[in-house]
Amino acid sequence: MATPPPSADTSNRLAREPSPYLRQHAHNPVDWFPWGAEALAKAKAENKPILLSVGYSACHWCHVMAHESFESPETARVMNEGFINIKVDREERPDLDQLYQGVVQLMGQGGGWPLTVFLTPDLKPFYGGTYFPPQDRYGRPGFPRLLMALRDAWENKQDEVQGQAAQFEEGLGELATYGLEAAPAVLTAADVVGMGQRMAKQVDAVHGGFGGAPKFPNPMNLALMLRAWRRGGGAPLKDAVFLTLERMALGGLYDQLGGGFHRYSVDERWLVPHFEKMLYDNAQLLHLYAQAQQVEPRPLWRKVVEETVAYVRREMTDAGGGFYAAQDADSEGEEGKFFVWRPEEVRAALSEAQAERVLRHFGIKPGGNFEHGATVLEVVVPVSELARERGASEDTVERELAAAKQTLFDVRERRVKPGRDDKLLSGWNGLMIRGLALASRVFGRPEWAKWAADAADFVLEKAWDGARLARSYQEGQARIDGFLEDYGDLASGLTALYQATFDVKYLEAADALVRRAVDLFWDAEKAAYLTAPRGQKDLVVATYGLFDNAFPSGASTLTEAQVELAALTGDKRHLELPERYVARMHDGLVRNAMGYGYLGLAADALLEGAASVTVAGASDDVAPLRAAMDRAFAPTVALAWKAPGQPVPALLQGTFEGREPVKGRGAAYLCRGFVCELPVTEPDVLAQRLAALTGP
């Protein structure tokens, strides 16, 4: 039975949706529908266009448009009379978001959120944009005026509208397969170097990061630059990455009191962020800073990793072990209010001496650097300078600052916190599992691997039944069939987790997920992966998982997982599709590395011929070899452990055969292309071999 439209004193249909983003709009006077059969059937029955609004719970400009337009009774009246209004959480339906973001691209605009697209009843777009203000402003039409113009066009010029929709449909089809017509070619180590060097030309030489404002972390592209440096691309590549990591960690993009990274900076120097914190950003940055520690250990890298893990554990971890999706930018109706400080607030919390040090360290001054005289914390005066001025040791000043920061953190905890999106997304959990697993190895923190395992156990129990992976788990319910990114991200995370725990059940789950993903998403004709399961009924154009954006394409993470599985299991069949897919994407990778950063990482690992190190021997005997492996920057080499006296799992039979301790000593077997070198027993020798492993 159809749900009646909302009245002024009732909630609308979105109140019954589990998505926090949809529920944020539950009391709008707009007659909102969630995406589904009821809304789509109503649009056809009444021959009304669809107003599709896509966003996510932590999106600041989504909140702005909601307050300005969707809470306005007059604007809602125009929406309700002329359109079927549908709200979509882009984190629940990334396929719809990807598809209709293409409309804005075809119109020559930058994409983003909120995404506002107008569709015919048969789901063909005919107009779109992102944020629209309530009156003409910022070079954009006012939303009410736009609504009336589009309603008039639909009612009086429908042939023209349908013609426009047909053009958009054709354009979306071309966008969806862009790059798949290029001739396949074999990627080389020189290609990887060239990709990294072209990226380096876009790095801001003063502040790090790519280009100017706004500035995003882009962790996968920075990671690819480190791969290019490893393959002989030159010191400037590493220096550009380290400059970026340092400036991000000292700037306002990083939460100087609570740890973790905000989504992006509105300026070129990482000072003022959009304050939302996304799980996928922190997962990828955690992994990247752990790799930086392998390349060149620094106290700053350790500090960032430890504090980011603490943030995720404190704010983003469910009681069942899974990881939440996001934390909002706004609290009490103001962006960033939870995070910013004024001098008087610092002085009220600390002693006079402490306050002066903190004010100087973080550059907190009257007038501030943000709205309403507030200050976003950044490291302005480093510890070394404060210590020199006082004639004290850096360790002493560091301890004093840590105590003061803890006091300020405790005060901040009593403020109204930003909202949190508590849905647990399978793919994003996979990314955090991957980051935690590597960090646990690099920093010798087994409890971090345990937390990653808790998340993996949660997702595998609640969202995976051996044949179907659910996208989202919330309020005790697994919902929405998983997309390519869910299978790829989770499989990649599980292969990383095996290498931190050596529990074969995670490798077995990754193997099963990869095989199921191929069944659901691989398009043999195009030699590419669909974003949504084959035959998805509510997509006007089939979409392919090609580009890596703020988070990686599922095709990229799935390719990474397949290469890792080939290395760990010795099953060459896992390399068949990665070789075909990377060859298919060669032209795009080489020409536009910034758009395929994560695929570049997977392709780089493929160059090594599924490289692995298997350590054989008792735990204590192989500990030095494992430590050498964990310290080495060898991102294309997978790690397995064969413990004596343990039954060999079927999945690892081929890998473990013939790999035994040498004369009672733990031994390491380095293998490439399924051919192994002679075993080594000395950690230094293993480290040397790993360092020399930079190309086929």
Side-chain angles (χ1 to χ4, degrees):
M1 184 170 64
T3 307
S7 63
D9 58 350
T10 64
S11 57
N12 59 42
R13 297 171 187 83
L14 301 187
R16 295 191 293 275
E17 291 295 307
S19 161
Y21 174 65
L22 297 187
R23 286 201 301 253
Q24 286 173 356
H25 299 81
H27 296 282
N28 294 166
V30 177
D31 186 12
W32 287 118
F33 288 82
W35 183 275
E38 182 184 4
L40 304 185
K42 187 176 178 66
K44 287 186 175 181
E46 298 183 9
N47 191 33
K48 280 186 176 181
I50 292 168
L51 191 167
L52 176 65
S53 178
V54 183
Y56 60 101
S57 66
C59 167
H60 171 69
W61 284 101
C62 299
H63 301 334
V64 172
M65 190 167 176
H67 296 321
E68 291 176 342
S69 294
F70 304 147
E71 293 174 7
S72 163
E74 182 57 31
T75 301
R77 181 187 63 78
V78 178
M79 293 171 67
N80 295 339
E81 290 177 356
F83 303 88
I84 303 301
N85 304 292
I86 300 180
K87 263 285 173 197
V88 166
D89 183 340
R90 63 109 169 175
E91 294 168 1
E92 290 190 334
R93 289 298 303 266
D95 58 333
L96 291 172
D97 181 54
Q98 176 188 340
L99 174 63
Y100 290 119
Q101 289 284 351
V103 175
V104 186
Q105 295 174 43
L106 290 170
M107 293 175 67
Q109 304 176 34
W113 301 277
L115 176 67
T116 309
V117 181
F118 296 85
L119 317 176
T120 65
D122 55 357
L123 307 183
K124 298 176 183 177
F126 60 89
Y127 191 82
T130 52
Y131 162 78
F132 289 101
Q135 294 89 31
D136 294 3
R137 197 187 307 157
Y138 315 126
R140 302 169 188 240
F143 194 52
R145 185 168 73 84
L146 176 68
L147 293 172
M148 289 185 284
L150 292 177
R151 179 182 179 183
D152 177 72
W154 178 256
E155 293 176 351
N156 299 308
K157 302 175 184 177
Q158 195 167 134
D159 288 346
E160 294 180 20
V161 172
Q162 293 286 5
Q164 178 88 342
Q167 291 180 24
F168 271 123
E169 183 180 16
E170 181 180 355
L172 290 177
E174 292 173 357
L175 273 181
T177 58
Y178 180 79
L180 294 182
E181 285 70 39
V186 176
L187 193 82
T188 66
D191 288 331
V192 173
V193 171
M195 290 155 60
Q197 289 174 336
R198 283 189 290 279
M199 284 181 173
K201 292 178 181 177
Q202 300 185 51
V203 172
D204 179 341
V206 177
H207 305 294
F210 298 102
K215 190 169 279 184
F216 290 80
N218 282 308
M220 64 190 78
N221 292 340
L222 295 169
L224 186 54
M225 287 174 62
L226 282 182
R227 298 287 188 94
W229 164 77
R230 175 177 175 261
R231 295 210 179 272
L237 285 167
K238 184 194 77 170
D239 294 345
V241 174
F242 277 22
L243 169 67
T244 303
L245 296 184
E246 179 181 297
R247 300 318 303 169
M248 288 196 303
L250 299 177
L253 182 81
Y254 184 70
D255 182 352
Q256 299 294 335
L257 290 185
F261 289 86
H262 301 293
R263 183 163 173 257
Y264 68 93
S265 171
V266 303
D267 54 76
E268 76 283 353
R269 68 181 192 90
W270 308 110
L271 173 58
V272 177
H274 263 308
F275 289 88
E276 61 262 41
K277 291 182 179 178
M278 311 303 295
L279 184 67
Y280 61 77
D281 282 326
N282 284 284
Q284 293 177 84
L285 287 163
L286 182 62
H287 193 276
L288 179 58
Y289 277 89
Q291 288 194 323
Q293 180 77 2
Q294 291 177 317
V295 172
E296 184 180 299
R298 291 188 183 183
L300 181 60
W301 309 155
R302 178 180 291 274
K303 171 180 177 292
V304 165
V305 169
E306 289 178 345
E307 292 178 352
T308 298
V309 172
Y311 159 71
V312 171
R313 184 67 176 170
R314 182 181 71 246
E315 300 288 348
M316 301 292 280
T317 304
D318 179 80
F323 301 116
Y324 299 132
Q327 195 173 33
D328 208 336
D330 298 9
S331 55
E332 299 183 89
E334 292 184 27
E335 185 183 16
K337 184 175 182 179
F338 178 77
F339 299 100
V340 297
W341 291 83
R342 293 170 179 80
E344 60 271 21
E345 294 173 320
V346 174
R347 290 194 172 94
L350 302 173
S351 70
E352 184 177 348
Q354 280 184 317
E356 289 307 316
R357 278 192 291 276
V358 166
L359 292 171
R360 292 201 65 230
H361 182 57
F362 289 129
I364 307 172
K365 298 178 180 178
N369 57 25
F370 188 55
E371 299 168 355
H372 313 301
T375 294
V376 179
L377 302 188
E378 64 167 340
V379 176
V380 174
V381 179
V383 169
S384 58
E385 187 172 335
L386 292 174
R388 189 165 54 250
E389 291 171 354
R390 284 187 55 205
S393 70
E394 290 188 23
D395 285 345
T396 298
V397 174
E398 192 73 69
R399 284 195 301 272
E400 292 172 349
L401 276 175
K405 286 166 61 179
Q406 183 63 50
T407 300
L408 293 180
F409 174 81
D410 293 340
V411 169
R412 196 179 80 172
E413 283 291 280
R414 296 195 287 272
R415 296 175 177 176
V416 176
K417 286 191 175 184
R420 183 173 58 199
D421 191 322
D422 61 358
K423 64 177 174 288
L424 295 97
L425 298 173
S426 296
W428 294 8
N429 269 257
L431 294 176
M432 183 54 75
I433 290 165
R434 174 179 178 264
L436 272 175
L438 179 66
S440 74
R441 295 171 54 194
V442 173
F443 293 97
R445 299 292 293 269
E447 71 274 24
W448 295 355
K450 171 63 168 59
W451 296 342
D454 289 344
D457 293 343
F458 182 89
V459 175
L460 292 173
E461 178 187 349
K462 302 295 186 182
W464 170 241
D465 63 7
R468 171 187 175 271
L469 177 65
R471 165 75 173 169
S472 178
Y473 184 87
Q474 198 168 19
E475 298 181 349
Q477 181 183 4
R479 303 174 58 250
I480 308 171
D481 284 350
F483 297 97
L484 175 64
E485 68 179 67
D486 295 301
Y487 285 82
D489 295 357
L490 184 57
S492 176
L494 292 173
T495 61
L497 182 57
Y498 166 76
Q499 295 171 72
T501 64
F502 303 106
D503 189 332
V504 75
K505 74 178 182 182
Y506 299 121
L507 207 58
E508 291 168 342
D511 183 79
L513 284 162
V514 162
R515 295 178 189 278
R516 184 63 176 141
V518 171
D519 292 341
L520 289 171
F521 303 103
W522 177 250
D523 183 332
E525 180 182 350
K526 291 280 195 299
Y529 290 98
L530 293 158
T531 302
R534 189 178 293 105
Q536 185 88 19
K537 302 293 187 185
D538 55 3
L539 296 177
V540 67
V541 171
T543 57
Y544 291 84
L546 305 178
F547 291 98
D548 298 311
N549 296 303
F551 42 85
S553 160
S556 301
T557 52
L558 189 68
T559 300
E560 177 180 68
Q562 289 168 319
V563 176
E564 292 270 286
L565 281 166
L568 291 165
T569 67
D571 187 344
K572 297 180 182 179
R573 291 172 296 178
H574 278 305
L575 290 186
E576 292 174 4
L577 293 188
E579 287 173 347
R580 286 185 63 192
Y581 184 62
V582 170
R584 165 64 68 205
M585 300 304 296
H586 175 276
D587 188 63
L589 263 172
V590 172
R591 291 175 180 271
N592 179 25
M594 291 290 289
Y596 299 96
Y598 205 105
L599 182 60
L601 302 177
D604 181 58
L606 190 60
L607 290 176
E608 229 78 88
S612 67
V613 165
T614 300
V615 292
S619 179
D620 289 345
D621 294 338
V622 300
L625 294 168
R626 283 178 52 187
M629 182 72 183
D630 292 343
R631 286 192 300 269
F633 180 57
T636 62
V637 185
L639 175 64
W641 173 32
K642 182 183 181 183
Q646 299 292 322
V648 176
L651 196 63
L652 294 171
Q653 290 281 356
T655 311
F656 285 174
E657 185 177 358
R659 300 179 195 178
E660 304 292 344
V662 174
K663 297 180 180 179
R665 300 183 66 188
Y669 294 77
L670 174 60
C671 309
R672 300 171 66 198
F674 309 104
V675 176
C676 297
E677 300 178 4
L678 292 174
V680 299
T681 57
E682 297 296 332
D684 290 348
V685 177
L686 176 60
Q688 290 166 10
R689 290 195 180 180
L690 291 171
L693 191 67
T694 57

